[in-house]
Amino acid sequence: MSSADLPESFDPNIIARDAFAICVDMPVSAFPRLVDLLTSSNGVVRVTLKASMSADQRPTTIIGLVATLEQSCQRCLQPVTVVVDHVHTVEWVADEAELARLDASEEALDNPDWEFLPMPVPPKVCTLDLVEDELILSLPIVPLHEVCALPEAAPEPAEDHPFAALARLKRLN
């Protein structure tokens, strides 16, 4: 694997034929849609792309992502660390008709880490968009701390209670 920059775009057929492989560390700030979902744009994402031909001679791209990101905990609203260690395989099919056939057959896998996508026309995939989509999909739906230290509310003084005077009158009788 090389440590060069990610290609701007790629043709799945060509990179699969060439057995393309790359591993790159990219700043989180390079992914603007992802940054909108985070509390900090600091850090790096290790992006690994490997391409090959599947057993059915379809171009296949394996996307590996490793990152430590910060989101807002939905319970306490404080930053929560989210560790992303995600591998997803995309098998590019010829067209929408083949995709529909695969979805209807038993050939389609019940594996959330594997999907069939139609080959774009022209066969050009924007690398950064594909990687950013995978990063966003790898985030938790509801980021939470395992245990939140929620601030406790101070008990209200009894004299501020609207029925405190009534309670005192009842005690006198």
Side-chain angles (χ1 to χ4, degrees):
M1 278 190 226
S2 78
S3 295
D5 293 331
L6 281 179
E8 184 177 318
S9 62
F10 64 89
D11 179 332
N13 293 306
I14 293 172
I15 68 168
R17 184 189 66 222
D18 295 344
F20 176 81
I22 191 169
C23 183
V24 179
D25 287 338
M26 296 195 59
V28 171
S29 59
F31 305 101
R33 291 180 295 136
L34 174 69
V35 169
D36 287 345
L37 304 172
L38 305 176
T39 59
S40 170
S41 62
N42 296 332
V44 295
V45 178
R46 169 141 303 161
V47 179
T48 306
L49 294 176
K50 295 179 186 175
S52 62
M53 296 302 275
S54 71
D56 296 327
Q57 293 304 303
R58 291 188 198 102
T60 302
T61 307
I62 300 171
I63 306 150
L65 304 167
V66 176
T68 301
L69 307 171
E70 247 183 40
Q71 287 190 286
S72 181
C73 174
Q74 296 300 299
R75 190 178 299 134
C76 68
L77 302 179
Q78 297 300 310
V80 60
T81 301
V82 175
V83 177
V84 173
D85 191 356
H86 179 76
V87 176
H88 190 80
T89 303
V90 174
E91 192 166 325
W92 304 95
V93 297
D95 52 29
E96 294 283 343
E98 185 178 3
L99 181 62
R101 184 188 62 77
L102 286 168
D103 284 343
S105 74
E106 293 179 16
E107 193 175 338
L109 302 173
D110 260 348
N111 183 347
D113 297 328
W114 189 289
E115 81 177 306
F116 295 101
L117 286 179
M119 183 69 70
V121 178
K124 181 179 177 182
V125 176
C126 178
T127 311
L128 198 60
D129 288 348
L130 178 67
V131 170
E132 188 171 30
D133 288 347
E134 286 299 323
L135 275 166
I136 291 169
L137 290 170
S138 69
L139 293 175
I141 295 170
V142 180
L144 295 171
H145 289 109
E146 286 186 32
V147 178
C148 288
L150 294 173
E152 294 194 23
E156 291 184 27
E159 57 270 11
D160 289 341
H161 194 277
F163 295 105
L166 181 61
R168 280 193 299 273
L169 286 173
K170 285 180 79 175
R171 276 186 248 145
L172 291 176
N173 289 334

PDB file of all heavy atoms in Angstrom, residues 11 13 18 20 25 29 50 60-62 73 85 94 101 115 120 130 145 148 152 160 170:
ATOM      1  N   ASP A  11     -12.405   4.989 -11.599  1.00  0.00           N
ATOM      2  CA  ASP A  11     -13.271   4.102 -12.383  1.00  0.00           C
ATOM      3  C   ASP A  11     -13.184   2.736 -11.704  1.00  0.00           C
ATOM      4  O   ASP A  11     -12.094   2.145 -11.656  1.00  0.00           O
ATOM      5  CB  ASP A  11     -12.779   4.027 -13.823  1.00  0.00           C
ATOM      6  CG  ASP A  11     -13.616   3.105 -14.697  1.00  0.00           C
ATOM      7  OD1 ASP A  11     -14.219   2.135 -14.164  1.00  0.00           O
ATOM      8  OD2 ASP A  11     -13.646   3.327 -15.917  1.00  0.00           O
ATOM      9  N   ASN A  13     -13.913  -0.194 -12.564  1.00  0.00           N
ATOM     10  CA  ASN A  13     -13.385  -1.256 -13.439  1.00  0.00           C
ATOM     11  C   ASN A  13     -11.858  -1.217 -13.504  1.00  0.00           C
ATOM     12  O   ASN A  13     -11.198  -2.248 -13.407  1.00  0.00           O
ATOM     13  CB  ASN A  13     -13.950  -1.120 -14.857  1.00  0.00           C
ATOM     14  CG  ASN A  13     -15.432  -1.379 -14.903  1.00  0.00           C
ATOM     15  OD1 ASN A  13     -15.909  -2.415 -14.453  1.00  0.00           O
ATOM     16  ND2 ASN A  13     -16.174  -0.418 -15.423  1.00  0.00           N
ATOM     17  N   ASP A  18      -6.512  -3.337 -11.827  1.00  0.00           N
ATOM     18  CA  ASP A  18      -5.135  -3.054 -11.408  1.00  0.00           C
ATOM     19  C   ASP A  18      -4.856  -3.457  -9.961  1.00  0.00           C
ATOM     20  O   ASP A  18      -3.746  -3.231  -9.486  1.00  0.00           O
ATOM     21  CB  ASP A  18      -4.830  -1.566 -11.575  1.00  0.00           C
ATOM     22  CG  ASP A  18      -4.867  -1.119 -13.030  1.00  0.00           C
ATOM     23  OD1 ASP A  18      -4.823  -1.991 -13.924  1.00  0.00           O
ATOM     24  OD2 ASP A  18      -4.956   0.102 -13.252  1.00  0.00           O
ATOM     25  N   PHE A  20      -5.824  -2.067  -7.207  1.00  0.00           N
ATOM     26  CA  PHE A  20      -5.445  -0.824  -6.544  1.00  0.00           C
ATOM     27  C   PHE A  20      -5.583  -0.962  -5.027  1.00  0.00           C
ATOM     28  O   PHE A  20      -6.546  -1.541  -4.527  1.00  0.00           O
ATOM     29  CB  PHE A  20      -6.365   0.300  -7.052  1.00  0.00           C
ATOM     30  CG  PHE A  20      -6.165   1.624  -6.389  1.00  0.00           C
ATOM     31  CD1 PHE A  20      -5.135   2.463  -6.784  1.00  0.00           C
ATOM     32  CD2 PHE A  20      -7.007   2.047  -5.368  1.00  0.00           C
ATOM     33  CE1 PHE A  20      -4.965   3.702  -6.190  1.00  0.00           C
ATOM     34  CE2 PHE A  20      -6.839   3.281  -4.763  1.00  0.00           C
ATOM     35  CZ  PHE A  20      -5.812   4.116  -5.170  1.00  0.00           C
ATOM     36  N   ASP A  25      -3.838   8.889   5.653  1.00  0.00           N
ATOM     37  CA  ASP A  25      -4.366   9.604   6.810  1.00  0.00           C
ATOM     38  C   ASP A  25      -4.856  10.961   6.327  1.00  0.00           C
ATOM     39  O   ASP A  25      -4.091  11.740   5.757  1.00  0.00           O
ATOM     40  CB  ASP A  25      -3.295   9.793   7.885  1.00  0.00           C
ATOM     41  CG  ASP A  25      -2.970   8.505   8.616  1.00  0.00           C
ATOM     42  OD1 ASP A  25      -3.823   7.595   8.601  1.00  0.00           O
ATOM     43  OD2 ASP A  25      -1.886   8.407   9.206  1.00  0.00           O
ATOM     44  N   SER A  29     -11.163  17.582   9.016  1.00  0.00           N
ATOM     45  CA  SER A  29     -11.658  18.814   8.396  1.00  0.00           C
ATOM     46  C   SER A  29     -11.826  18.687   6.876  1.00  0.00           C
ATOM     47  O   SER A  29     -12.472  19.528   6.254  1.00  0.00           O
ATOM     48  CB  SER A  29     -10.730  19.982   8.724  1.00  0.00           C
ATOM     49  OG  SER A  29      -9.419  19.708   8.265  1.00  0.00           O
ATOM     50  N   LYS A  50      -9.150  -0.730  -1.124  1.00  0.00           N
ATOM     51  CA  LYS A  50      -8.599  -1.875  -1.852  1.00  0.00           C
ATOM     52  C   LYS A  50      -9.609  -2.258  -2.921  1.00  0.00           C
ATOM     53  O   LYS A  50     -10.800  -2.336  -2.642  1.00  0.00           O
ATOM     54  CB  LYS A  50      -8.375  -3.072  -0.923  1.00  0.00           C
ATOM     55  CG  LYS A  50      -7.336  -2.859   0.141  1.00  0.00           C
ATOM     56  CD  LYS A  50      -7.210  -4.086   1.010  1.00  0.00           C
ATOM     57  CE  LYS A  50      -6.270  -3.820   2.170  1.00  0.00           C
ATOM     58  NZ  LYS A  50      -6.217  -4.954   3.093  1.00  0.00           N
ATOM     59  N   THR A  60     -14.938  -4.680  -7.231  1.00  0.00           N
ATOM     60  CA  THR A  60     -15.254  -4.596  -5.807  1.00  0.00           C
ATOM     61  C   THR A  60     -14.291  -3.614  -5.152  1.00  0.00           C
ATOM     62  O   THR A  60     -13.094  -3.640  -5.421  1.00  0.00           O
ATOM     63  CB  THR A  60     -15.118  -5.978  -5.149  1.00  0.00           C
ATOM     64  OG1 THR A  60     -15.996  -6.882  -5.827  1.00  0.00           O
ATOM     65  CG2 THR A  60     -15.484  -5.954  -3.690  1.00  0.00           C
ATOM     66  N   THR A  61     -14.834  -2.756  -4.290  1.00  0.00           N
ATOM     67  CA  THR A  61     -14.020  -1.789  -3.550  1.00  0.00           C
ATOM     68  C   THR A  61     -14.272  -1.991  -2.067  1.00  0.00           C
ATOM     69  O   THR A  61     -15.420  -1.954  -1.620  1.00  0.00           O
ATOM     70  CB  THR A  61     -14.384  -0.342  -3.946  1.00  0.00           C
ATOM     71  OG1 THR A  61     -14.310  -0.202  -5.358  1.00  0.00           O
ATOM     72  CG2 THR A  61     -13.446   0.654  -3.277  1.00  0.00           C
ATOM     73  N   ILE A  62     -13.190  -2.211  -1.320  1.00  0.00           N
ATOM     74  CA  ILE A  62     -13.287  -2.344   0.134  1.00  0.00           C
ATOM     75  C   ILE A  62     -12.824  -1.023   0.740  1.00  0.00           C
ATOM     76  O   ILE A  62     -11.726  -0.543   0.440  1.00  0.00           O
ATOM     77  CB  ILE A  62     -12.425  -3.509   0.650  1.00  0.00           C
ATOM     78  CG1 ILE A  62     -12.883  -4.823   0.026  1.00  0.00           C
ATOM     79  CG2 ILE A  62     -12.473  -3.579   2.179  1.00  0.00           C
ATOM     80  CD1 ILE A  62     -11.952  -5.991   0.300  1.00  0.00           C
ATOM     81  N   CYS A  73     -23.089  14.164  23.169  1.00  0.00           N
ATOM     82  CA  CYS A  73     -23.935  13.158  23.821  1.00  0.00           C
ATOM     83  C   CYS A  73     -25.367  13.676  23.836  1.00  0.00           C
ATOM     84  O   CYS A  73     -25.627  14.808  24.240  1.00  0.00           O
ATOM     85  CB  CYS A  73     -23.429  12.903  25.247  1.00  0.00           C
ATOM     86  SG  CYS A  73     -24.507  11.813  26.215  1.00  0.00           S
ATOM     87  N   ASP A  85     -14.258   2.170  13.574  1.00  0.00           N
ATOM     88  CA  ASP A  85     -13.414   1.119  12.997  1.00  0.00           C
ATOM     89  C   ASP A  85     -14.341   0.364  12.054  1.00  0.00           C
ATOM     90  O   ASP A  85     -15.024  -0.579  12.456  1.00  0.00           O
ATOM     91  CB  ASP A  85     -12.844   0.211  14.089  1.00  0.00           C
ATOM     92  CG  ASP A  85     -11.768  -0.722  13.555  1.00  0.00           C
ATOM     93  OD1 ASP A  85     -11.514  -0.718  12.334  1.00  0.00           O
ATOM     94  OD2 ASP A  85     -11.182  -1.465  14.368  1.00  0.00           O
ATOM     95  N   ALA A  94     -23.538  -3.907 -13.076  1.00  0.00           N
ATOM     96  CA  ALA A  94     -23.603  -3.257 -14.390  1.00  0.00           C
ATOM     97  C   ALA A  94     -24.635  -2.136 -14.460  1.00  0.00           C
ATOM     98  O   ALA A  94     -24.367  -1.076 -15.005  1.00  0.00           O
ATOM     99  CB  ALA A  94     -23.876  -4.292 -15.468  1.00  0.00           C
ATOM    100  N   ARG A 101     -32.255  -7.491  -9.916  1.00  0.00           N
ATOM    101  CA  ARG A 101     -32.190  -8.961  -9.975  1.00  0.00           C
ATOM    102  C   ARG A 101     -31.464  -9.514  -8.752  1.00  0.00           C
ATOM    103  O   ARG A 101     -31.907 -10.477  -8.142  1.00  0.00           O
ATOM    104  CB  ARG A 101     -31.482  -9.403 -11.259  1.00  0.00           C
ATOM    105  CG  ARG A 101     -31.465 -10.925 -11.457  1.00  0.00           C
ATOM    106  CD  ARG A 101     -30.595 -11.346 -12.633  1.00  0.00           C
ATOM    107  NE  ARG A 101     -29.194 -10.997 -12.503  1.00  0.00           N
ATOM    108  CZ  ARG A 101     -28.318 -11.658 -11.733  1.00  0.00           C
ATOM    109  NH1 ARG A 101     -28.703 -12.675 -11.010  1.00  0.00           N
ATOM    110  NH2 ARG A 101     -27.058 -11.276 -11.687  1.00  0.00           N
ATOM    111  N   GLU A 115     -22.470  -4.336   0.108  1.00  0.00           N
ATOM    112  CA  GLU A 115     -23.626  -3.874  -0.673  1.00  0.00           C
ATOM    113  C   GLU A 115     -23.307  -3.851  -2.150  1.00  0.00           C
ATOM    114  O   GLU A 115     -22.149  -3.747  -2.548  1.00  0.00           O
ATOM    115  CB  GLU A 115     -24.107  -2.510  -0.192  1.00  0.00           C
ATOM    116  CG  GLU A 115     -23.338  -1.334  -0.698  1.00  0.00           C
ATOM    117  CD  GLU A 115     -23.909  -0.006  -0.244  1.00  0.00           C
ATOM    118  OE1 GLU A 115     -25.116   0.249  -0.453  1.00  0.00           O
ATOM    119  OE2 GLU A 115     -23.141   0.773   0.327  1.00  0.00           O
ATOM    120  N   PRO A 120     -21.815   3.793 -11.875  1.00  0.00           N
ATOM    121  CA  PRO A 120     -22.221   5.115 -12.378  1.00  0.00           C
ATOM    122  C   PRO A 120     -21.907   5.241 -13.869  1.00  0.00           C
ATOM    123  O   PRO A 120     -21.024   4.569 -14.389  1.00  0.00           O
ATOM    124  CB  PRO A 120     -21.357   6.083 -11.558  1.00  0.00           C
ATOM    125  CG  PRO A 120     -20.270   5.278 -10.962  1.00  0.00           C
ATOM    126  CD  PRO A 120     -20.705   3.845 -10.947  1.00  0.00           C
ATOM    127  N   LEU A 130     -17.532   9.244  -1.573  1.00  0.00           N
ATOM    128  CA  LEU A 130     -17.762   7.856  -1.161  1.00  0.00           C
ATOM    129  C   LEU A 130     -17.246   7.620   0.258  1.00  0.00           C
ATOM    130  O   LEU A 130     -17.941   7.052   1.098  1.00  0.00           O
ATOM    131  CB  LEU A 130     -17.088   6.890  -2.141  1.00  0.00           C
ATOM    132  CG  LEU A 130     -17.208   5.407  -1.812  1.00  0.00           C
ATOM    133  CD1 LEU A 130     -18.655   4.943  -1.950  1.00  0.00           C
ATOM    134  CD2 LEU A 130     -16.292   4.584  -2.714  1.00  0.00           C
ATOM    135  N   HIS A 145     -22.860   8.762  26.127  1.00  0.00           N
ATOM    136  CA  HIS A 145     -21.864   8.228  27.055  1.00  0.00           C
ATOM    137  C   HIS A 145     -22.449   6.943  27.643  1.00  0.00           C
ATOM    138  O   HIS A 145     -23.672   6.806  27.743  1.00  0.00           O
ATOM    139  CB  HIS A 145     -21.614   9.201  28.214  1.00  0.00           C
ATOM    140  CG  HIS A 145     -20.884  10.443  27.823  1.00  0.00           C
ATOM    141  ND1 HIS A 145     -21.492  11.662  27.785  1.00  0.00           N
ATOM    142  CD2 HIS A 145     -19.591  10.641  27.453  1.00  0.00           C
ATOM    143  CE1 HIS A 145     -20.603  12.574  27.427  1.00  0.00           C
ATOM    144  NE2 HIS A 145     -19.443  11.974  27.214  1.00  0.00           N
ATOM    145  N   CYS A 148     -23.591   8.976  32.045  1.00  0.00           N
ATOM    146  CA  CYS A 148     -23.520  10.440  32.013  1.00  0.00           C
ATOM    147  C   CYS A 148     -23.561  10.976  33.433  1.00  0.00           C
ATOM    148  O   CYS A 148     -24.318  10.482  34.274  1.00  0.00           O
ATOM    149  CB  CYS A 148     -24.691  11.032  31.246  1.00  0.00           C
ATOM    150  SG  CYS A 148     -24.594  10.779  29.486  1.00  0.00           S
ATOM    151  N   GLU A 152     -27.361  17.398  39.126  1.00  0.00           N
ATOM    152  CA  GLU A 152     -28.593  17.184  39.882  1.00  0.00           C
ATOM    153  C   GLU A 152     -29.240  18.520  40.186  1.00  0.00           C
ATOM    154  O   GLU A 152     -28.563  19.492  40.523  1.00  0.00           O
ATOM    155  CB  GLU A 152     -28.292  16.427  41.167  1.00  0.00           C
ATOM    156  CG  GLU A 152     -27.820  15.014  40.874  1.00  0.00           C
ATOM    157  CD  GLU A 152     -27.846  14.148  42.114  1.00  0.00           C
ATOM    158  OE1 GLU A 152     -28.602  14.467  43.054  1.00  0.00           O
ATOM    159  OE2 GLU A 152     -27.113  13.159  42.112  1.00  0.00           O
ATOM    160  N   ASP A 160     -41.213  28.097  48.917  1.00  0.00           N
ATOM    161  CA  ASP A 160     -41.490  28.539  47.563  1.00  0.00           C
ATOM    162  C   ASP A 160     -42.604  27.716  46.919  1.00  0.00           C
ATOM    163  O   ASP A 160     -43.086  28.071  45.855  1.00  0.00           O
ATOM    164  CB  ASP A 160     -40.231  28.434  46.704  1.00  0.00           C
ATOM    165  CG  ASP A 160     -39.191  29.471  47.076  1.00  0.00           C
ATOM    166  OD1 ASP A 160     -39.542  30.480  47.711  1.00  0.00           O
ATOM    167  OD2 ASP A 160     -38.032  29.261  46.720  1.00  0.00           O
ATOM    168  N   LYS A 170     -53.129  23.422  57.606  1.00  0.00           N
ATOM    169  CA  LYS A 170     -53.672  22.107  57.934  1.00  0.00           C
ATOM    170  C   LYS A 170     -53.009  21.556  59.199  1.00  0.00           C
ATOM    171  O   LYS A 170     -53.665  20.901  60.004  1.00  0.00           O
ATOM    172  CB  LYS A 170     -53.444  21.130  56.773  1.00  0.00           C
ATOM    173  CG  LYS A 170     -54.392  21.375  55.614  1.00  0.00           C
ATOM    174  CD  LYS A 170     -54.156  20.419  54.497  1.00  0.00           C
ATOM    175  CE  LYS A 170     -54.792  19.102  54.803  1.00  0.00           C
ATOM    176  NZ  LYS A 170     -54.712  18.140  53.712  1.00  0.00           N
TER     177      LYS A 170
END
